[in-house]
């Protein structure tokens, strides 16, 4: 019995943390965030040198064959550093989709390239959770029509994996004819999201598995977003505590004021159990299949609530300084905001958790 | 991440299950809130000790089962009893707080005299710490004990003394060294509640019951050897006890059981056309609480693993009292909301649900948020010990500063 990270996972965490401290200081994040395409080749390269790109690619395809908990360890560090790199779609969802639902040819073509960092695949599955603005993708005779909003890890993608309205996945090159890709500007300038419009675009289907793989992608994505917020929240709490230990007002450190102390204690008290919840959810994805979807929902929705509180409270502890662009605290605030909305806000996710337990009457 | 306890523990788990299956008909009802355990509860406790499912690691010479400490075995026992919804061993302030303190700091004679009857439910204890002027600021206590003819003579008043009316004995903090600094002049005495000069006045609480009391001492005489630790060390002894109390107030199995009861209630209660759980707002709140209970469960597993590795519980442990008590209160609050207008029924009213347990819990759990170190005091501890934030300027410093300014 050992509930926690293994030695290897702790080493991975420390290595990624050091790598990001060197390659992705706040000055670099800021530089990236001010560009049209925020994704940083420099940080991506540094992470690839550690093997991050191939974590979830099976060994027989040149990857490391690691688990979602390993990926969650990395995601937490990315959130902690607000690192402007593609990860969720290109290094987690795409390899899982290909691994679980790709045919041999697709696997052999793409997986080694993902592992080596040569190829990046964006993923668009949001319409399987919630349809807005009339979006949605239909497929017939190998052609896609319609719109997929929120393709994740959009910029620089060589291909996209897209879910149609029947929860079947399709793969198509970024330059496929009949595909128009339009960048969306998000509040979180450390991520890249885009809209995909299909007009008879040719695509290869992945396996027809009744939506099973799409459901796995939702679970994995939610855990990774929760882990990202866990890291971002950790950083915001540390920053608040540090600031409260330096800033003086009324002749005292503000951290000695109980109102400030209690804001920090409340953040810590809510934050700490999230770590165990995220770890368990990630572990369950690979090891406890019958609990995986429910606990992914719990991790996603609970962290969404906790880190919204942390994001605003840490900002408040910093006073006016917290509100400035200069301090850069807002990068974490916005990152947490992104994690909350993507792949289902907490209400939508809780509704799904209720349905999974048979608590919702069929409409 | 390895959640398997290992094959040797599978055997143990099977034994626990078999025991529960064979004996659960002897268990007292779990809703037994009486301070003095019923004879059924006492018999159950004795049976559990005999088989090692209560007082497991307490040495046999003190009336325990005498097993080597094994956190996982203890964990399995707790899990299996919770899973079967069969009450485990007795839990009261004597067993959960006084016995561990005595094991740590008592004399051999004290251990032999008190631990066994306490474990077996024959002696019930109350905790005499809080006073009208000393709650969160416990070290401000004024109840005094001076020495006369080789005895402590106690005068003063305690308040919020849970179960004092039913208790046989009290562990009590008194000031023995009036001239020593605040924390230095306190001693930890133990004496019978039948000692002449003790008056207990029940204090009815918001629940409508008298869960606690005022306890008055007038020239209460206590032999000098009825002290735990040395004179003047009572603060240290008491802090050992408080640690055990905070552990007792944050039990993940208890939360899980309350949540399961809430789910059952929401599936049974009908609100208009549907069940309570069909109401999307109530259901949303239920799932949110379920996620929080899960987080606390895994947080508990993390603490368990830390202690298996011999590491301190750290922040994961510091937050347990605050988070669990709040969560328990929220669970009861949702149960009452799910009952709608039925939620007002109490005091054995016709149509009351579950014997008024949810209403009682909703109120009593607020008491637990306050008792055992208030939520605010917990936050001070989390901030100052956990996050190492600057300490509050002490009143003494402020007085000095003020003098300087004058
Ligand atoms: C159900 C219940 C059972 C109890 N059982 C027992 C028992 O068996 N034996 C026993 O000895 N005692 C018992 N108590 C007493 C309990 O320990 C005290 O109530 C508790 O420590 C708070 O003290 P107080 O009531 O004097 O409140 P106060 O200390 O006066 O607190 C009032 C308010 O001020 C806040 N406050 C006080 N100091 C600070 C500070 N430094 N920073 C921030 N906020 C502060 C508190 O958080 C609270 O909100 C029980 C209490 C309850 C509710």
């Amino acid at each position: 019995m050992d509930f926690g990270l293994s030695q290897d996972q702790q080493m991975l965490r420390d290595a990624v943390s050091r790598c990001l401290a060197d390659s992705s200081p706040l000055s670099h994040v800021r530089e990236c965030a001010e560009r049209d395409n925020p994704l940083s080749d420099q940080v991506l390269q540094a992470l690839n040198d550690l093997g991050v790109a191939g974590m979830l690619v099976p060994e027989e395809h040149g990857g490391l064959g690691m688990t979602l908990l390993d990926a969650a360890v990395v995601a937490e560090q990315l959130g902690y550093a607000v690192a402007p790199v593609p990860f969720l779609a290109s290094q987690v969802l795409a390899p899982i989709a290909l691994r679980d639902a790709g045919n041999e040819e697709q696997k052999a073509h793409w997986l080694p390239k993902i592992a080596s960092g040569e190829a990046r695949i964006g993923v668009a599955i949001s319409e399987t959770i919630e349809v807005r603005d009339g979006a949605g993708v239909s497929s017939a005779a190998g052609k896609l029509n319609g719109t997929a909003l929120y393709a994740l890890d959009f910029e620089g993608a060589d291909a996209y994996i897209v879910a149609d309205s029947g929860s079947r996945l399709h793969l198509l090159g970024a330059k496929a004819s009949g595909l128009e890709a339009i960048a969306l500007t998000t509040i979180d300038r450390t991520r890249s999201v885009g809209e995909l419009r299909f007009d008879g675009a040719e695509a290869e289907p992945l396996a027809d598995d009744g939506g099973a793989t799409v459901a796995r992608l939702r679970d994995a994505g939610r855990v990774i977003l929760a882990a990202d917020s866990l890291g971002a929240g950790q950083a915001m709490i540390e920053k608040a505590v540090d600031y409260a230990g330096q800033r003086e007002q009324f002749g005292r450190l503000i951290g000695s004021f109980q109102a400030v102390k209690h804001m920090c204690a409340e953040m810590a008290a809510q934050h700490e159990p999230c770590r165990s919840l995220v770890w368990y959810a990630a572990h369950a994805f690979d090891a406890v299949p019958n609990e995986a979807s429910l606990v992914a929902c719990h991790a996603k929705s609970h962290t969404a609530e906790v880190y919204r509180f942390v994001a605003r409270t840490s900002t408040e502890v910093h006073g006016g300084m917290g509100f400035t662009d200069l301090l850069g605290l807002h990068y974490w605030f916005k990152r947490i905001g992104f994690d909350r909305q993507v792949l289902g806000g907490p209400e939508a996710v809780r509704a799904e958790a209720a349905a999974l337990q048979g608590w919702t009457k069929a409409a | 991440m390895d959640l398997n306890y290992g094959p040797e523990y599978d055997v143990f788990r099977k034994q626990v299950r078999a025991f529960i299956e064979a004996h659960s008909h002897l268990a007292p009802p779990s809703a037994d809130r009486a301070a003095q355990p019923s004879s059924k509860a006492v018999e159950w406790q004795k049976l559990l000790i005999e088989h090692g499912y209560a007082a497991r690691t307490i040495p046999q010479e003190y009336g325990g089962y005498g097993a080597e400490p094994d956190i996982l075995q203890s964990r399995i026992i707790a899990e299996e009893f919770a899973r079967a919804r069969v009450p485990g061993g007795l839990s009261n302030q004597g067993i959960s707080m006084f016995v561990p303190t005595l094991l740590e700091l008592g004399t051999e004679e004290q251990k032999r005299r008190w631990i066994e009857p306490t474990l077996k439910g024959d002696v019930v204890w109350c905790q005499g710490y809080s006073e009208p002027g000393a709650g969160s600021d416990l070290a401000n206590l004024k109840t005094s004990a001076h020495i006369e003819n080789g005895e402590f003579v106690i005068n003063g008043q305690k308040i919020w003394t849970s179960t004092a009316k039913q208790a046989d004995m009290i562990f009590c903090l008194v000031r023995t060294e009036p001239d020593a600094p605040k924390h230095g002049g306190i001693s930890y005495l133990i004496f019978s509640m039948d000692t002449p000069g003790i008056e207990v006045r029940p204090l009815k609480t918001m629940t409508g019951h008298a869960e606690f009391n005022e306890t008055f001492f007038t020239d209460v005489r206590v032999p000098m050897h009825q002290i735990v630790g040395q004179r003047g060390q009572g603060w240290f002894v008491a802090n050992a006890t408080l640690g055990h109390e905070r552990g007792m107030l944050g039990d993940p199995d208890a939360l899980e059981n309350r949540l399961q009861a809430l789910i059952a209630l929401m599936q049974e209660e009908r609100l208009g056309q549907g069940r309570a759980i069909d109401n999307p707002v109530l259901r949303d709140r239920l799932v949110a609480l379920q996620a929080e209970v899960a987080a606390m469960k895994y947080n508990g597993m993390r603490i368990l693993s830390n202690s298996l590795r011999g590491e301190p519980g750290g922040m994961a442990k510091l937050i347990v009292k605050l988070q669990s008590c709040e969560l328990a209160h929220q669970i009861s609050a949702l149960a009452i909301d799910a009952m709608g207008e039925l939620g007002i029924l109490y005091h054995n009213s016709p149509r009351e649900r579950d014997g008024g347990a949810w209403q009682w819990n909703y109120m009593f759990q607020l008491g637990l948020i306050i008792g055992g170190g208030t939520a605010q005091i917990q936050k001070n501890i989390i901030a100052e010990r956990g996050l190492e934030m600057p300490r509050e300027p002490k009143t003494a410093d402020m007085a000095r500063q003020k003098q300087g300014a004058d």
Side-chain angles (χ1 to χ4, degrees):
Chain A
M1 158 81 184
D2 189 17
F3 188 94
L5 301 182
S6 66
Q7 293 272 319
D8 285 351
Q9 284 161 341
Q10 291 176 32
M11 280 164 60
L12 172 68
R13 176 193 62 198
D14 296 345
V16 173
S17 157
R18 274 193 307 271
C19 163
L20 291 170
D22 292 343
S23 67
S24 189
L26 184 59
S27 53
H28 181 64
V29 172
R30 187 182 295 281
E31 224 173 84
C32 293
E34 283 163 7
R35 304 196 299 237
D36 282 342
N37 172 5
L39 302 182
S40 164
D41 291 333
Q42 159 191 331
V43 183
L44 192 61
Q45 188 56 53
L47 287 166
N48 283 356
D49 290 345
L50 290 178
V52 166
M55 285 177 74
L56 294 186
V57 173
E59 280 167 297
E60 68 261 36
H61 293 291
L64 298 170
M66 291 164 91
T67 65
L68 194 70
L69 182 54
D70 299 309
V73 166
V74 174
E76 182 186 342
Q77 295 309 315
L78 295 176
Y80 186 87
V82 288
V85 282
F87 182 70
L88 171 60
S90 57
Q91 295 172 5
V92 177
L93 302 184
I96 292 174
L98 287 163
R99 181 186 86 182
D100 292 0
N103 61 32
E104 288 314 314
E105 205 178 312
Q106 288 163 336
K107 287 188 211 179
H109 180 76
W110 288 105
L111 287 172
K113 288 189 180 157
I114 292 176
S116 67
E118 266 170 87
R120 267 178 14 221
I121 300 183
V123 174
I125 57 169
S126 287
E127 279 71 34
T128 71
I129 298 166
E130 202 171 63
V131 172
R132 295 278 166 137
D133 278 1
V137 178
S138 64
S139 67
K143 302 231 153 116
L144 300 180
N145 282 291
T147 308
L149 298 176
Y150 323 120
L152 303 169
D153 293 346
F154 174 81
E155 290 285 357
D158 302 287
Y160 297 103
I161 290 176
V162 181
D164 69 20
S165 52
S167 285
R168 178 142 190 207
L169 293 167
H170 304 266
L171 173 71
L172 80 172
K175 304 231 157 58
S177 72
L179 167 65
E180 190 187 358
I182 300 158
L184 300 171
T185 310
T186 77
I187 184 158
D188 173 12
R189 298 294 302 135
T190 65
R191 257 71 167 259
S192 165
V193 170
E195 174 175 339
L196 304 178
R197 293 188 192 160
F198 307 99
D199 182 8
E202 225 166 279
E204 308 168 26
L206 303 196
D208 185 5
D209 56 10
T213 301
V214 170
R216 292 285 284 165
L217 297 189
R218 278 200 298 268
D219 294 347
R222 284 171 177 164
V223 172
I224 293 301
L225 288 164
D228 190 86
S229 276
L230 176 74
Q234 170 87 41
M236 289 197 91
I237 295 170
E238 285 174 14
K239 285 174 197 297
V241 170
D242 282 352
Y243 189 75
Q246 288 164 21
R247 167 81 175 161
E248 287 191 17
Q249 284 292 279
F250 298 96
R252 287 164 60 176
L253 291 171
I254 59 165
S256 72
F257 291 116
Q258 209 172 46
V260 172
K261 219 179 271 191
H262 284 194
M263 285 197 271
C264 294
E266 284 164 14
M267 289 193 279
Q270 297 199 32
H271 164 63
E272 202 60 35
C274 288
R275 177 175 303 287
S276 305
L277 180 61
V278 168
W279 282 351
Y280 185 78
H283 170 72
F285 181 82
D286 292 299
V288 197
N290 61 328
E291 288 180 29
S293 292
L294 180 60
V295 72
C297 287
H298 283 336
K300 175 68 163 70
S301 57
H302 185 55
T303 55
E305 307 293 20
V306 168
Y307 295 110
R308 167 173 275 185
F309 169 74
V310 166
R312 64 76 57 91
T313 305
S314 172
T315 305
E316 275 185 87
V317 168
H318 286 82
M321 188 57 88
F323 194 62
T324 61
D325 175 54
L326 178 73
L327 188 70
L329 195 64
H330 63 93
Y331 290 116
W332 283 267
F333 183 100
K334 293 166 183 169
R335 183 115 175 170
I336 287 169
F338 179 100
D339 293 342
R340 178 182 171 99
Q341 306 305 124
V342 170
L343 301 185
E347 291 79 10
V349 173
R350 283 193 293 264
E352 219 178 296
L356 283 169
Q357 298 176 86
W359 293 349
T360 319
K361 276 195 301 197
Chain B
M1 186 74 75
D2 174 10
L3 303 184
N4 291 315
Y5 288 11
E8 67 276 29
Y9 289 100
D10 293 345
V11 174
F12 183 73
R13 190 184 291 278
K14 279 200 193 104
Q15 284 168 7
V16 181
R17 275 190 197 171
F19 171 87
I20 295 174
E21 233 163 80
H23 298 89
S24 61
H25 62 285
L26 299 171
S30 28
D32 199 346
R33 299 199 293 258
Q36 271 287 356
S38 64
S39 59
K40 196 162 186 189
V42 167
E43 286 313 309
W44 180 240
Q45 172 77 357
K46 288 180 182 160
L47 184 71
L48 293 182
I49 296 176
E50 192 186 311
H51 287 84
Y53 300 136
R56 180 172 178 80
T57 58
I58 295 174
Q60 278 179 351
E61 62 262 40
Y62 307 138
Y65 178 75
E68 281 297 306
D70 181 324
I71 310 173
L72 290 183
Q73 288 185 342
S74 304
R75 186 68 212 129
I76 288 170
I77 295 169
E79 282 171 7
E80 290 303 318
F81 278 80
R83 205 180 58 96
R85 310 238 181 116
V86 169
L90 286 181
S91 167
N92 57 35
Q93 290 182 327
I95 291 173
S96 309
M97 298 162 69
F98 177 66
V99 167
T101 303
L102 214 52
L103 281 170
E104 211 171 305
L105 301 165
T107 64
E108 187 56 31
E109 200 196 329
Q110 287 167 339
K111 293 182 200 174
R112 289 189 185 272
R113 172 81 184 79
W114 296 115
I115 295 180
E116 177 153 9
T118 304
L119 293 178
K120 301 210 158 144
D122 297 328
V123 173
V124 171
W125 293 79
C126 63
Q127 176 199 44
Y129 285 9
S130 304
E131 296 182 6
S136 300
D137 186 10
L138 184 57
N140 193 39
L141 60 93
K142 296 283 189 290
T143 295
S144 69
H146 66 271
I147 295 169
E148 214 178 273
N149 301 331
E151 286 180 316
F152 289 114
V153 180
I154 304 171
N155 281 284
Q157 184 201 342
K158 295 291 172 182
I159 195 166
W160 324 130
T161 333
S162 300
T163 71
K165 197 74 192 167
Q166 300 84 3
D168 306 294
M169 294 287 295
I170 182 167
F171 52 98
C172 189
L173 292 181
V174 296
R175 192 162 293 285
T176 43
E177 270 76 17
D179 301 325
K182 199 172 164 184
H183 296 83
I186 297 172
S187 296
Y188 186 108
L189 305 186
I190 52 179
F191 47 95
S192 165
M193 289 300 283
D194 291 333
T195 318
I198 301 181
E199 190 196 341
V200 177
R201 293 188 202 149
L203 269 176
K204 197 164 166 178
T205 75
M206 70 191 295
T207 69
H209 305 273
E211 286 96 349
F212 52 41
N213 307 269
E214 293 177 288
T215 311
F216 297 87
F217 305 108
T218 315
D219 292 331
V220 175
R221 291 179 175 270
V222 172
M224 297 276 295
H225 67 270
Q226 289 181 209
I227 183 170
V228 180
Q230 303 296 312
R231 265 175 65 186
Q233 278 190 353
W235 184 252
F236 170 69
V237 179
N239 272 311
T241 313
L242 283 175
H244 299 302
E245 179 174 27
R246 281 170 199 157
M248 176 173 102
L249 292 175
D251 173 4
D253 296 322
L255 281 175
E256 179 67 31
N257 273 349
R258 298 313 299 163
L259 180 78
Q260 291 306 327
L262 171 61
I263 293 168
L265 175 96
M266 289 181 63
Q267 286 175 326
E268 282 159 23
E269 281 302 330
R270 301 197 75 80
L271 280 175
Q273 296 302 307
R275 305 165 304 166
I277 205 167
D278 297 326
N279 175 305
V281 176
L282 295 174
R283 191 171 59 219
D284 183 69
R285 283 172 60 190
L286 176 64
V287 178
L289 290 177
Q290 188 184 34
E292 281 197 66
V293 170
M296 289 310 291
K297 174 175 156 191
Y298 303 124
N299 187 63
M301 288 169 72
R302 182 167 164 223
I303 297 171
L304 181 74
S305 277
N306 286 350
S307 49
L308 283 171
R309 278 188 238 113
E311 290 167 12
M315 186 63 98
K317 196 162 181 186
L318 275 187
I319 56 115
V320 166
K321 198 261 165 182
L322 178 67
Q323 293 304 99
S324 307
C325 290
E326 178 62 31
L327 189 49
H329 184 62
Q330 296 298 337
I331 289 172
S332 298
L334 177 54
I336 289 173
D337 293 350
M339 287 183 218
E341 286 185 291
L342 279 167
I344 62 175
L345 302 180
Y346 192 47
H347 295 304
N348 305 317
S349 166
R351 298 188 185 280
E352 179 188 76
R353 299 299 201 254
D354 295 328
W358 289 109
Q359 284 75 7
W360 184 83
N361 270 307
Y362 174 64
M363 292 184 276
F364 194 71
Q365 280 153 355
L366 179 54
L368 295 182
I369 289 172
I370 298 168
T374 67
Q376 292 68 36
I377 296 297
Q378 299 304 316
K379 289 176 196 172
N380 290 349
I381 293 172
I382 293 166
E384 291 180 359
R385 287 193 217 148
L387 298 172
E388 298 176 8
M389 294 186 74
R391 293 192 172 254
E392 202 80 8
K394 291 278 181 259
T395 12
D397 301 340
M398 294 191 334
R400 217 176 306 120
Q401 274 180 5
K402 201 165 161 235
Q403 260 177 7
D406 286 346

